[in-house]
Every structure is written in structure tokens, then in C-alpha cells.
Amino acid sequence: MEMTTKMRPLPLPLPLLFLTLLLSISLHLATVRSWKKDEFRNCNQTPFCHRARSRAPGSSSFSAHDVSISDGDLTATLRSPNSTSSSPLLLSLSAFQDGTLRLRILEDPSSSPLDPPRHRFQVPDVVLPDFLSKKLWLQRLTPEDGGSSSAVYLSDEYDAVLRHDPFEVFVRRRSTNRPVLSLNSHRLFDYEQLRKKEEGDDWEERFRGHTDTRPHGPQSITLDVSFFGSDFVTGIPEHATSLALKPTRGPGLDHSEPYRLFNLDVFEYLSESPFGLYGSIPLMISHGKAGNSAGFFWLNAAEMQIDVLGKGWDSETGLLLPSEQDRVDTLWMAEAGIVDAFFFVGPGPKDVVRQYTSVTGKPSMPPLFSTAYHQCRWNYRDEEDVENVDAKFDEHDIPYDVLWLDIEHTDGKRYFTWDSVLFPHPEEMQRKLAAKGRHMVTIVDPHIKRDDSFWLHKEATDKGYYVKDSGGRDYDGWCWPGSSSYLDMLNPEIRSWWGDKFSYDKYVGSTPSLYIWNDMNEPSVFNGPEVSMPRDALHYGGAEHRELHNAYGYYFHMATADGLLKRGNGNERPFVLSRAFFAGSQRYGAVWTGDNTADWDHLRVSVPMILTLGLTGMTFTGADVGGFFGNPEPELLVRWYQLGAYYPFFRAHAHQDTKRREPWLFGERNTKLIREAIHVRYTLLPYFYTLFREANTTGLPVARPLWMEFPSDEATFNNDEAFMVGSGILVQGIYSERAKHVSVYLPGNEAWYDLRTGTAYKGGKSHKLQVSEESVPAFQRAGTIIPRKDRFRRSSTQMVNDPYTLVIALNSSQAAEGELYVDDGKSFRFLQGAYTHRRFVFANGVLSSFNAAPSEPSNSEFSPGSIIERIILLGYSGGSKSALIEPGNQKVEIGLGPLRLGGDGGSSSVVTIRKPGVRISEDWTIKIL
């Protein structure tokens, strides 16, 4: 959602009326023109960024002293004769299992010039307690280079090294003695220490009529980080840019901007822009032609600006030595906080993601219904509209699982309420949907309407639960309800209080089939600087908003998810969609890419945006299908559905000023194409759900860049128009109008099978394919087995007991393997072993089903009765007519059958084992005779 004139604020005194009108006019203008960069700060208008960028390599003079081992860490003090303060900094290096190094640098409170000392903000509740238990207690230092460096053990393959003067930290591979990651190799480290304000100091900052008082003065930190053996870097969402980050500084890039991490409510954002969007995850991943990856994560919730430094950035001539060609240098600039950085050594891209999610958490296991198709609009008008839309899906044989309600369903933008005229019977409305296995999502935003008759505002005011302004009063900003205040979600007590509000007696009209959407939680403040909360606003513990801004939405998401957990007495998995996010948000639900636009460029950029989020832990992500703003032409809408069916989070959404665009409104042919796209998703739900379980246990994303599966294939490095779904499916989008052909690169040495036709294509080359209006190109990788459900139902809930189809794509050795994970789809009983996890292996003409679950005895039984009704063999070279099932000594037929059921009737005929009838929960073999 974005700014609009349809705000209904409380009646205001006459002196405020003029201000209100001006605000209303500015909001109206925001809806009729595109994003303008001058409304947001650039680096030159951001003093800490401007200062950091002006420093030359070698300008840092910090050196390490008093290096020793203390409490299992390497510790040292950093001193610099050129620092803004003579106080030393405290450094510690900690090693953890699986090759993760943690570097912390902060001020020594005993040397603080402030009385009393002010402690810098350290981001809580992101690093897992379980990770901290994996610390390796360092025993000794190894002096090197004549005592000018100290090395410590990191893993069997890696050492961590602290160079004393000049100060530098790097991780090296022991076998080659070459660095993998380094910090301060170019001596750009700077740490603006807190100090007393002296006469003549002007710490205030001004931008577009807003003044930031900056009571504690400059406190920024700058780091240079280098990735060795790397061809490119990726990560640091959220930006609408290519997957491989482009250089922002260097020869020919004098006027470019750094990548910005500052959570902002941005309307109609531009593609190919380094401008920050709704969320921030300060994790960067490198990758190189040797197939190796590494990662750097800075746990800091203040604004960051990050430069990717082009070749020759540090050379007056732009000439480079050959040995430097495989290094990527970056510059990290943060407004506040401390250095709390993590080095991930990989060596592969999957290893880096596992290492990062071991620190910040694995993605939560979503309820099954949420992995299906969602229908949303700002706004479905009333209960009759909801009922009609629901009925039309059934009439047109289009499945869906969730219907969403935006802000207009509330009573005057008061969350946890219903408009009594438009939605007088909310429980009955939800029960009607639930009878078909469907669910509802309503919106709950962080701004609370300042209305003394509103029970939530009165209670929050009485308890002192709002964020304060710089003067200590409840902060008053403008959002959808007009005058609003914002809950201080940094405070655990307030998060707990908020969670209680989702109980059925508090959220009157809610039912167990109702779930939640958190929007505007950057937080968005219409009359604030850059449509955001002032940086000098005050939070729990005296923290300034500048110090935690990027994590505000994270804490709001956390509190809402915990509220749904409370509502279900800890037994039901929550589903909460959030727009803002930070490191660790993957533990609390899904996110989407925000307010995109109905054009081909935004369809195109959705893929690298989703891939980047997956690499940084956020696997349950998607983009608004069709584009939030504007009216898509039918061809664009169809292509978006065909691609969006493979997004991890699959939701259509639209602005209230757009034309209605439910799937049946564009003519019979387009309705059929959209129906088939949605059916593709429902057919593949068993595969997607299995991948979500893999993400939940390993951290690996559902949607993956090609190079994650083929890390040594350089042809994949710059390809972000195609992506992998798990390890078994490759999808290529169509991103241009009236396209006749598309080039698809299929990596690897094995074949790929078209999902629609079964046609085999050779791997390791690009194919120029004729474009079909029926689908986007999608292929199954040879050597994989993918589970499907081919019956068409109204919702995923109604598919639970349906039989399965296994699609076996054979490789050149006539072999393949795959997995299937099944649980009850809604509870946490899977944590006690209540699930079925099968591994399927086809080799030497035999298909075998094995238990892939841990061997430990389960405390809870789960034995689904579903069977396998078809087994499809792609690339099978034999001519057998039957197969033998054991146990049971039962023969079944092998013949030709359709690759796909239903559809347009044009499905290819493929080798099929008919009606084997084996249960998915049991061990068995099927031998081709």
C-alpha cells in the first residue's frame, strides 16, 4: 500500500486544518507521479557516508596492542594517534563450529569521556542462543611474521589472523596459505567515538525541512572488506537490481551511489537502482570461478551505505597486478552501532547460507496452506464482494487458499476492528471460507490511531508503550488513520502485550482460520523525514531510532508471530507476512518485494530480488503478481502468473485505484492460461513443501540462483533471468511483450526435460526455444525424482489425502533420486517426529523407497494413508511392459500415459507405471521386469 488521499483523520482544530490540507495534497501528489530521488537522501546529503567516501586508502592508523587469549577469545586493544578520541577500542575474535569467525569492536566504557558513559546499541534477539553454545574455546596464539601477526585456529581447513600494525583481520585457507576474507586490508577502518559536545560543535543535520538533533554527535563506523578468489558479490537486500552487484565506485563511476540499507516505504520503486527499499540484511556473499563462496555479515541495525569497488578503484592509473584480478573489494559505512561482524568461509555457496542461518536462524516451517495461491486486493469491498470472489474461483475451477483484506475492512483504520457496515459478520464470513479449506488474512500495521475512544490507543498510552520523540513525549506521526503513534517493539514487555491482542476475546471477530499481514512497518511515517520515523526518536533503554531503524519491522514481525502462537496455545504454526525485514526475519514468516509496478521490467527484476532474499535467509518470498501499481495488459498478467507459480510465496495483489483483475476478467483464453499456471503450483505443492522443510532444517532457499547448484559453471554467474526451484527444476521467465523466441541456458552435463512436454534437451548449452503462450519454459533436471499431486481441488486443504505421482527424470546412467516430506501441515508435532520423510532412488531398473527420517525413536506417530497412483519415467530406454512390487509380489503394468492430467488435452504420452498403489509411508521396491 502507499500514500493516498483516502485517509480519514480525526476532526482537527481549525489552526491545524491548513497543515492537514497541505499534507493531504502532498499525499495525493505521491499517487500520481513516480518516485523522485530528490525526496530521499543520497550519499552526499548523508554526512557519515560523505565523510567515509572521502577517505583515501591507507588513511586508517589503527594498530593492535595487548594481544592475548581471554575466556577463549583472542582479545586486543586498538589505538590510533589520528582517531577523534584517544580512548582505545576493545577487539575480540571468537571462533565457532563450522568455520565461522566473529569479530567484535566497541568502545571501552572505562575510558569513556562521557559521564555517565553511554553504551552503543547492540542488536538483541537476532543471534541464536544455540549458536553461542557452539563457540570454540581458543587455547593459544601462534605468533607469525616475527611477532607482527597472531594466528588462531578456526577449523581444520582455516586459520584466523590478526595483523597488529597496521590492524587487519583475515581468514586464510591453510592448504594454500591464501586469504579468503579480510577486513581493513586497505586501511579504511574508522570508528567515530562518542565524545562530549564542545562549544562550536554543530551536530544537527537537516534534510527537506526536517532537523535531526543528533544529541550524541557523529558515531559512524567504516570498514573495508575484501573477498578473495571471487568474480562477483551478491546479497545485501533489499534493492531492485541484478543478482550480481554492480560496482558503485571506481573508474568511470564518479557519480554513482552506494547500495543503501535503510528500510523505507518506497512507492513505484525503480528497477536497476542501488536505492534501499523495505528491508535490510547486511550479508554479502562472494563467488568465484573455482566454485568457492564466502560471506560477511555485519549485525548492525543502523543505516548502512555499501560500495562495491570496481577494478582500479585504489589505483591512480587504474592498472592492476594480475594477482589482484580475482579480488572484490567493498566499503561498508554505518551511521551508528558497533562492529559485530561474522566471517563465513564456505567453501561452497550452500555452506555459506548454512553458516549464516546457523547464526540468525533457519526459516520457520510454514503451514501448508500458505505455500499455495493467495488472492489479495486493496480492498475487497465488503462481505458480499468476498463471497462473490470466492464463488467465482469455484465457478472457473481455479484453486486458491487465502483471501486477503486490506485496511478498508477496519473501523476507521483502527486495527483489530471491523467496519460494522461493510463487514458485520466477520466470523461467519471466515467460517464459509474455512468450510472449503480456505483461510483469510487481515492487515495489522504498527501505527495506532490516536483516538481516546480507541481501546488499544488508550491502553498503550496509559502504559507508556509508545516510541517517544526527542523531547520524551509520545511520538505523533501521520499514517493511514491520520495522527498516529507507534509501539516500541524493542521492549520485550511491549511485544508480549501486543501478542496478547490476537486472542479471540481481544481480536473480536477473528477465528482460527484468520492470519495476519504486517505492512508499513519500516516504519512508514507520511510526514516524517524520508517517509520514516525521525532518527532522534527514543526507544526502550534510551536507544535512538537511528540505532535500530532497520530492525523495527523485525521486532514487529516477531511480536505478531508470537501473538498467533499464543492464540493457538503454541500448537498451531503462525502465518505472518511482513513488508519490512532484517536478519533473522526468516524465523517469523514471509516477506514480499513491496509495491511494484505492472510493467515488464518489474516482472524481470522480481527474480533477482527473490533470489537475493533466499541467499540471505529469507526463503518464503514473492512479488505481487501482476504488479501492485498500474493495469497490466493481459499478456503481462498471464506471464506473471506463469512465473509467479514458481515463486516461494505466490500472491496476486493490486492497488485500489487499479482495475479489478481477478483471473476470470480477461477473456476465456486468458482465464484458461491463468488457471493452468495456478494448477501448476498446486500440482507441485508436494515438491514445494518438501523444499520448505529442507529450508527449515538446513537454511537452503527454495528458489536458488543457477550457480548455487552449478557453482563452477561460469555461464551461470550473470544469469538471473532463470532460477532453480530446489535442485530439480529450472524456470526461465518471459520478460518481453510478444516474444517469439527465448534463449535458455541449461547447465551441467546431463539432460533437462520440459515439464510440459517431456522433451529432453542437452545440458551445458543454450537453447533457442520457440515461446509458447501456454507456459514459461520450465525443466526437470535429469537424475531427479519430483513428487506431484495431479487431482484438481478447490484448495490445498482438500488435497491432503489425494494420491501422488512420482516423475522420475533419468540421467545418462538411467538413475535418479528425490525426496518427499509430509506432515499434518499445521501443527508443531513434526518437531516430535510426527512426519513422513521418504527418499526415492531409481537405479538398475529398481525404484526403492527409504525412510529418510532420523533413526531416533519418535514420540509421535504420523502415518498418512496416501498412495502413489502413477510413476512416470522420463528418458527410460527399456521396453518393459510390467514391474514387480515388493513386498507383496504384485505385478503392475507399464505403458504410455499422459505427462499431465487435465489441461488442454495436449499432454505428451510418456512411459508410466500404472496404479502401483504403494503407500508413501512404507518401504517398498518396484522392479522393472
Side-chain angles (χ1 to χ4, degrees):
M1 297 182 310
E2 288 301 337
M3 305 174 189
T4 178
T5 57
K6 295 189 177 181
M7 293 175 20
R8 290 184 285 179
L10 292 171
L12 293 173
L14 188 59
L16 294 180
L17 182 58
F18 182 68
L19 175 61
T20 306
L21 291 173
L22 287 178
L23 177 61
S24 181
I25 291 170
S26 68
L27 298 185
H28 173 72
L29 290 175
T31 67
V32 296
R33 47 129 173 90
S34 298
W35 173 75
K36 291 185 177 179
K37 65 180 181 180
D38 61 358
E39 295 175 350
F40 301 92
R41 302 203 307 182
N42 59 36
C43 181
N44 282 333
Q45 296 167 320
T46 307
F48 80 86
C49 183
H50 181 71
R51 291 195 299 273
R53 260 190 159 191
S54 66
R55 298 185 186 104
S59 61
S60 177
S61 57
F62 281 92
S63 57
H65 303 264
D66 308 318
V67 182
S68 64
I69 296 291
S70 176
D71 292 328
D73 295 336
L74 182 157
T75 63
T77 56
L78 297 181
R79 296 189 175 92
S80 170
N82 299 330
S83 175
T84 56
S85 170
S86 60
S87 301
L89 299 172
L90 303 181
L91 175 149
S92 66
L93 284 175
S94 306
F96 292 85
Q97 295 173 19
D98 201 24
T100 296
L101 179 71
R102 185 179 193 179
L103 166 66
R104 288 168 60 85
I105 302 174
L106 63 163
E107 286 156 306
D108 183 354
S110 66
S111 302
S112 175
L114 304 179
D115 186 19
R118 185 178 193 275
H119 296 279
R120 285 182 178 242
F121 182 72
Q122 301 182 39
V123 184
D125 306 307
V126 170
V127 177
L128 295 179
D130 182 60
F131 171 77
L132 298 176
S133 70
K134 297 176 182 177
K135 176 181 170 180
L136 303 177
W137 286 74
L138 302 177
Q139 302 297 318
R140 62 186 180 87
L141 293 172
T142 301
E144 296 185 345
D145 300 326
S148 62
S149 298
S150 300
V152 293
Y153 172 91
L154 183 57
S155 73
D156 290 343
E157 293 82 26
Y158 299 94
D159 290 323
V161 180
L162 171 66
R163 183 167 291 151
H164 301 173
D165 190 10
F167 149 67
E168 180 186 6
V169 173
F170 61 90
V171 175
R172 70 180 177 210
R173 185 173 286 108
R174 191 174 292 126
S175 61
T176 62
N177 206 36
R178 288 177 58 85
V180 176
L181 280 169
S182 71
L183 184 145
N184 204 36
S185 295
H186 300 283
R187 295 175 61 189
L188 285 167
F189 173 73
D190 188 74
Y191 200 116
E192 294 181 326
Q193 297 195 37
L194 298 171
R195 58 187 176 87
K196 291 181 179 178
K197 190 171 186 178
E198 298 178 357
E199 187 175 349
D201 285 337
D202 182 10
W203 288 349
E204 290 187 346
E205 293 181 8
R206 300 162 187 85
F207 179 73
R208 292 180 63 88
H210 295 276
T211 299
D212 176 4
T213 60
R214 297 197 61 84
H216 306 292
Q219 49 187 300
S220 70
I221 303 173
T222 304
L223 314 170
D224 64 88
V225 179
S226 297
F227 300 84
F228 295 82
S230 301
D231 288 280
F232 66 91
V233 290
T234 185
I236 57 168
E238 184 176 33
H239 307 95
T241 57
S242 59
L243 181 61
L245 298 173
K246 295 173 180 171
T248 60
R249 182 174 164 195
L253 296 169
D254 294 339
H255 303 291
S256 64
E257 284 291 307
Y259 288 98
R260 189 184 189 194
L261 293 183
F262 191 68
N263 294 6
L264 286 172
D265 177 354
V266 185
F267 47 91
E268 295 184 274
Y269 55 80
L270 303 178
S271 59
E272 289 307 314
S273 168
F275 190 81
L277 298 178
Y278 309 95
S280 299
I281 300 177
L283 167 67
M284 185 176 282
I285 297 173
S286 68
H287 191 69
K289 59 178 65 72
N292 292 334
S293 292
F296 177 78
F297 168 52
W298 186 359
L299 178 55
N300 189 324
E303 177 181 357
M304 282 191 195
Q305 303 265 2
I306 303 172
D307 270 320
V308 177
L309 304 172
K311 299 297 183 184
W313 72 273
D314 56 346
S315 169
E316 292 183 3
T317 63
L319 297 176
L320 292 172
L321 297 176
S323 63
E324 294 180 305
Q325 295 292 333
D326 63 349
R327 188 190 74 220
V328 178
D329 297 324
T330 61
L331 182 67
W332 298 60
M333 304 160 274
E335 182 183 12
I338 68 166
V339 176
D340 190 359
F342 297 77
F343 298 72
F344 305 117
V345 297
K350 293 182 178 180
D351 298 311
V352 173
V353 175
R354 288 190 190 102
Q355 289 156 2
Y356 167 73
T357 55
S358 73
V359 174
T360 63
K362 304 295 189 291
S364 60
M365 187 64 191
L368 175 61
F369 79 84
S370 66
T371 66
Y373 174 63
H374 301 244
Q375 182 67 34
C376 184
R377 179 176 178 81
W378 178 23
N379 202 78
Y380 287 115
R381 296 185 299 268
D382 51 30
E383 290 177 3
E384 182 181 7
D385 196 10
V386 167
E387 188 169 358
N388 288 339
V389 169
D390 177 68
K392 282 289 188 180
F393 272 94
D394 294 338
E395 177 184 333
H396 291 278
D397 192 26
I398 302 174
Y400 87 99
D401 267 65
V402 193
L403 195 70
W404 292 55
L405 295 180
D406 213 314
I407 54 174
E408 311 303 334
H409 81 278
T410 63
D411 176 14
K413 312 299 188 298
R414 300 171 181 87
Y415 300 110
F416 302 103
T417 70
W418 304 83
D419 186 307
S420 60
V421 174
L422 302 178
F423 295 91
H425 309 106
E427 294 179 61
E428 181 183 352
M429 174 179 62
Q430 294 163 58
R431 281 194 292 267
K432 287 180 179 178
L433 295 177
K436 300 178 182 180
R438 291 168 176 159
H439 301 75
M440 177 164 275
V441 167
T442 54
I443 199 165
V444 178
D445 291 351
H447 47 263
I448 307 301
K449 185 169 186 174
R450 293 184 59 83
D451 177 354
D452 290 339
S453 66
F454 182 25
W455 60 270
L456 187 64
H457 168 66
K458 189 175 186 307
E459 190 173 336
T461 301
D462 292 344
K463 291 179 175 291
Y465 279 174
Y466 285 135
V467 175
K468 310 303 179 187
D469 64 20
S470 59
R473 299 170 296 273
D474 286 350
Y475 175 69
D476 184 351
W478 281 72
C479 207
W480 298 124
S483 178
S484 305
S485 286
Y486 297 73
L487 294 164
D488 186 3
M489 289 300 186
L490 180 63
N491 188 335
E493 176 185 320
I494 299 174
R495 293 201 300 268
S496 178
W497 170 86
W498 176 256
D500 293 337
K501 301 301 172 280
F502 293 92
S503 64
Y504 301 120
D505 62 328
K506 293 287 188 183
Y507 191 175
V508 177
S510 64
T511 71
S513 63
L514 182 73
Y515 295 84
I516 301 300
W517 172 17
N518 291 159
D519 199 358
M520 317 297 287
N521 55 338
E522 293 74 30
S524 176
V525 183
F526 292 164
N527 62 334
E530 299 188 278
V531 200
S532 188
M533 184 174 285
R535 296 169 191 244
D536 54 7
L538 298 173
H539 290 262
Y540 174 66
E544 286 189 290
H545 187 71
R546 80 181 74 255
E547 299 175 287
L548 60 96
H549 171 82
N550 286 344
Y552 181 87
Y554 165 74
Y555 293 116
F556 194 80
H557 196 185
M558 176 196 298
T560 302
D562 287 346
L564 292 189
L565 276 173
K566 283 184 179 182
R567 184 187 76 175
N569 297 316
N571 298 320
E572 301 294 321
R573 295 178 223 166
F575 171 75
V576 182
L577 179 76
S578 175
R579 190 169 70 176
F581 56 85
F582 187 65
S585 288
Q586 65 269 14
R587 308 202 302 262
Y588 300 107
V591 303
W592 89 108
T593 61
D595 299 337
N596 59 359
T597 302
D599 64 39
W600 292 93
D601 286 343
H602 274 245
L603 172 62
R604 163 71 181 79
V605 83
S606 71
V607 172
M609 292 180 77
I610 289 168
L611 294 178
T612 303
L613 287 164
L615 288 169
T616 54
M618 295 300 308
T619 194
F620 200 3
T621 59
D624 284 344
V625 170
F628 178 69
F629 288 105
N631 297 301
E633 292 300 316
E635 182 187 4
L636 173 59
L637 183 63
V638 168
R639 289 301 188 201
W640 214 317
Y641 268 100
Q642 291 170 343
L643 185 70
Y646 296 97
Y647 292 163
F649 175 58
F650 183 23
R651 182 185 76 154
H653 184 39
H655 190 281
Q656 64 177 350
D657 292 339
T658 64
K659 298 175 183 177
R660 294 291 287 257
R661 61 167 90 141
E662 284 75 32
W664 49 86
L665 296 176
F666 297 87
E668 184 176 344
R669 178 60 179 165
N670 291 314
T671 298
K672 180 178 183 295
L673 294 172
I674 293 172
R675 178 194 301 116
E676 290 188 1
I678 296 174
H679 277 163
V680 165
R681 176 50 163 253
Y682 278 81
T683 298
L684 291 173
L685 277 180
Y687 180 63
F688 271 91
Y689 197 64
T690 300
L691 292 175
F692 276 107
R693 177 56 171 167
E694 182 181 15
N696 176 243
T697 55
T698 68
L700 294 181
V702 172
R704 306 170 184 176
L706 303 188
W707 51 263
M708 177 171 263
E709 291 296 325
F710 300 90
S712 298
D713 188 342
E714 293 182 55
T716 67
F717 288 3
N718 289 313
N719 187 340
D720 57 11
E721 291 193 346
F723 61 97
M724 298 292 298
V725 180
S727 60
I729 292 178
L730 184 150
V731 181
Q732 169 71 54
I734 302 296
Y735 306 113
S736 59
E737 191 175 6
R738 294 187 292 276
K740 301 300 182 184
H741 295 87
V742 64
S743 178
V744 182
Y745 178 70
L746 299 175
N749 299 319
E750 296 285 351
W752 295 81
Y753 298 90
D754 187 293
L755 286 191
R756 183 176 177 82
T757 66
T759 303
Y761 293 88
K762 186 177 180 180
K765 61 177 295 187
S766 293
H767 299 266
K768 184 179 181 181
L769 302 179
Q770 187 172 350
V771 168
S772 165
E773 69 170 0
E774 280 82 9
S775 64
V776 295
F779 305 86
Q780 182 173 345
R781 182 180 181 179
T784 64
I785 300 176
I786 288 180
R788 299 190 327 210
K789 282 193 175 185
D790 291 351
R791 307 282 178 89
F792 294 160
R793 304 291 190 186
R794 288 177 172 178
S795 66
S796 67
T797 311
Q798 296 189 347
M799 297 168 61
V800 169
N801 297 317
D802 283 352
Y804 289 82
T805 294
L806 296 183
V807 183
I808 302 176
L810 296 171
N811 61 18
S812 56
S813 301
Q814 293 284 284
E817 60 182 54
E819 295 185 2
L820 171 64
Y821 174 84
V822 184
D823 60 25
D824 66 16
K826 57 186 179 181
S827 78
F828 289 97
R829 293 178 60 238
F830 71 94
L831 296 175
Q832 285 75 50
Y835 61 86
T836 290
H837 189 183
R838 307 303 297 180
R839 182 165 180 262
F840 305 114
V841 176
F842 187 94
N844 302 314
V846 179
L847 174 64
S848 303
S849 173
F850 303 99
N851 182 16
S855 57
E856 293 83 8
S858 169
N859 295 324
S860 182
E861 292 296 324
F862 180 77
S863 183
S866 299
I867 63 168
I868 295 173
E869 67 173 347
R870 294 197 307 152
I871 297 172
I872 293 172
L873 295 167
L874 300 177
Y876 179 62
S877 59
S880 302
K881 300 296 185 183
S882 63
L884 181 68
I885 299 176
E886 295 288 358
N889 194 31
Q890 173 192 355
K891 276 192 176 182
V892 291
E893 293 182 355
I894 298 178
L896 294 179
L899 176 58
R900 300 177 300 113
L901 298 179
D904 59 6
S907 181
S908 303
S909 293
V910 291
V911 176
T912 304
I913 300 176
R914 298 172 176 168
K915 299 182 179 180
V918 290
R919 293 167 64 95
I920 62 165
S921 57
E922 298 175 351
D923 292 352
W924 41 260
T925 62
I926 300 178
K927 181 179 181 180
I928 296 178
L929 300 177

